[in-house]
Amino acid sequence: MKFVDEAKIFIKAGNGGQGCVSFRRAKFIPKGGPDGGDGGKGGDIILVGKRGLSSLVELNYKKIYKAENGKNGSGNNRKGRNGKDIYISVPLGTIVYNLDNPIIPLYDVAEDEKGYVVARGGRGGRGNTRFATSTNRTPVQFDFGGEGEEMAVHLVLKLLADIGIVGLPNTGKSTLISKLTDAKPQIGDYPFTTLIPTLGVMTNNDKTFVVADIPGIIEGASKGKGLGLMFLKHIERTKMLLLLLDLSSTNLEDDYSTILNELGSFNEEIVNKDRVLALNKTDLVSDYRARKWKKHFMDIGERVVSISALTGRGIEALKDALHLKQDV
Ligand SMILES: Nc1nc2c(ncn2[C@@H]2O[C@H](COP(=O)(O)OP(=O)(O)OP(=O)(O)O)[C@@H](O)[C@H]2O)c(=O)[nH]1
Ligand SMILES: [Mg+2]
């Protein structure tokens, strides 16, 4: 399965309806005044930020979005109905570009449930009523409706989350997010179980945090190996990192430096983010081994919590550690 965190779609807002030319007709009024109504406005295309979404995959199935045109005006000063707007749901952190101008984003979708108009519907044309003046009581002018905007749009997702869980494949990241939050990701005893990021909401002491679980990172990820770069960009914008190591691994020191090297070669700032190091799978190793590694990493300046994502041991302490470091 290919993970999609980009999409190119074509959008076309509705055209405005045409204004109407019409004159009032009634018994005993031979020459009624103008009564042609305005056309309706074309529908807009609106992107809506959705906290629950974590991928743009849907937009690769449906690529063309056309909003309804406004209806034409009619006699009796009846305004044409406005075209219906189209709403496209996208995850928070979606950056929106006009494909013709890939440098400056149009929007960075950051707010839940907020709508961003990317293509505006054409305005409705004026009916002849609007052209009446004291010298021209029987105008025959009207406007056609305005054209709806159209655009090829490039959407790029860089998830917005407070905490990003990073680690080698199979270290227990997804198991952990399922314990910390309401998320229910796939968990499997093989590397690269997670192919798309998962978001979950963690609550601790009445505060909530959005946590992201991304696919495992391997050596060379920053150069595109494994699932590579695609996911590292999702943690660029998190406020803090949760580094996860597997205590049952043969060389934790190597695991640790692999992760930090990959993060650092992708973007140095990631390595300077606030972070907590969690040593997972305490249930698989002796207490002695767990303590030894904890001390080792604390000695080099890490904030360390030992946990078992499987049994739940240490999870509350980990929540508190994440909480304390967060300056909100
Ligand atoms: N014994 C034990 N097993 C664990 C623990 N945490 C996770 N596992 C197991 O480790 C395996 C991998 O767990 P996942 O949560 O899928 O690991 P992941 O880091 O998300 O893996 P990828 O998505 O492939 O990178 C599964 O078989 C889990 O049941 C733990 O604390 N103790
Ligand atoms: Mg996983």
Side-chain angles (χ1 to χ4, degrees):
M1 184 185 149
K2 182 169 168 280
F3 173 69
V4 179
D5 56 0
E6 285 189 55
K8 285 175 187 160
I9 59 172
F10 177 79
I11 56 173
K12 164 87 176 74
N15 298 329
Q18 182 179 321
C20 170
V21 177
S22 163
F23 295 95
R24 213 166 358 201
R25 269 165 217 284
K27 266 187 185 168
F28 315 117
I29 309 180
K31 258 199 173 174
D35 72 349
D38 297 343
K41 180 183 160 298
D44 295 334
I45 309 259
I46 303 167
L47 298 183
V48 186
K50 295 277 178 191
R51 170 145 289 147
L53 290 179
S54 60
S55 126
L56 291 166
V57 69
E58 294 291 323
L59 300 189
N60 278 270
Y61 294 118
K62 183 165 164 36
K63 288 177 172 291
I64 297 177
Y65 296 83
K66 284 186 177 163
E68 198 185 12
N69 294 335
K71 294 278 182 286
N72 295 340
S74 52
N76 225 350
N77 280 322
R78 272 196 302 265
K79 182 179 174 298
R81 192 167 58 69
N82 291 340
K84 281 204 189 77
D85 298 333
I86 285 190
Y87 294 89
I88 305 174
S89 299
V90 296
L92 299 190
T94 300
I95 306 169
V96 186
Y97 296 90
N98 179 339
L99 207 58
D100 293 336
N101 179 2
I103 309 294
I104 303 162
L106 300 174
Y107 295 113
D108 190 345
V109 176
E111 247 181 82
D112 197 22
E113 296 300 331
K114 180 172 168 187
Y116 300 77
V117 179
V118 266
R120 207 166 283 284
R123 66 177 179 77
R126 289 170 297 176
N128 67 336
T129 310
R130 307 279 209 123
F131 293 89
T133 60
S134 54
T135 53
N136 182 4
R137 291 168 197 273
T138 55
V140 290
Q141 296 100 311
F142 69 98
D143 290 328
F144 289 105
E147 288 268 320
E149 290 174 338
E150 60 179 62
M151 198 193 300
V153 179
H154 187 195
L155 303 162
V156 179
L157 176 60
K158 286 192 181 188
L159 283 176
L160 289 182
D162 300 307
I163 300 165
I165 307 180
V166 283
L168 298 178
N170 222 29
T171 44
K173 300 178 295 298
S174 301
T175 310
L176 180 59
I177 199 177
S178 75
K179 284 280 154 52
L180 289 175
T181 75
D182 55 345
K184 292 185 179 52
Q186 203 181 341
I187 291 166
D189 190 15
Y190 49 89
F192 300 114
T193 305
T194 302
L195 294 174
I196 64 168
T198 307
L199 293 179
V201 178
M202 170 178 119
T203 311
N204 196 28
N205 297 334
D206 296 330
K207 289 194 173 161
T208 58
F209 306 86
V210 177
V211 183
D213 164 31
I214 65 167
I217 290 170
I218 58 170
E219 193 173 340
S222 58
K223 297 183 186 62
K225 273 214 184 140
L227 294 170
L229 280 172
M230 256 166 29
F231 300 103
L232 289 177
K233 70 182 179 192
H234 290 311
I235 46 174
E236 269 186 312
R237 308 211 278 187
T238 59
K239 295 187 190 127
M240 82 185 290
L241 296 182
L242 202 182
L243 287 192
L244 192 63
L245 294 181
D246 178 349
L247 277 169
S248 69
S249 157
T250 45
N251 197 334
L252 268 85
E253 187 63 63
D254 277 359
D255 296 353
Y256 172 79
S257 49
T258 300
I259 295 290
L260 287 185
N261 285 340
E262 292 307 323
L263 294 179
S265 32
F266 177 69
N267 177 345
E268 265 173 46
E269 281 168 32
I270 295 185
V271 186
N272 298 327
K273 277 185 201 289
D274 239 355
R275 69 175 180 243
V276 168
L277 177 65
L279 302 178
N280 192 28
K281 308 196 185 180
T282 51
D283 58 298
L284 291 183
V285 302
S286 66
D287 282 353
Y288 170 75
R289 184 177 166 87
R291 272 202 307 274
K292 186 188 91 180
W293 281 111
K294 184 171 181 181
K295 179 170 184 317
H296 169 81
F297 287 114
M298 284 172 74
D299 287 347
I300 58 173
E302 293 288 347
R303 171 182 288 230
V304 191
V305 184
S306 305
I307 61 166
S308 167
L310 194 69
T311 67
R313 179 177 164 194
I315 295 295
E316 289 309 312
L318 176 59
K319 279 191 175 182
D320 287 341
L322 292 167
H323 181 72
L324 284 174
K325 278 217 132 185
Q326 189 91 23
D327 56 350
V328 285

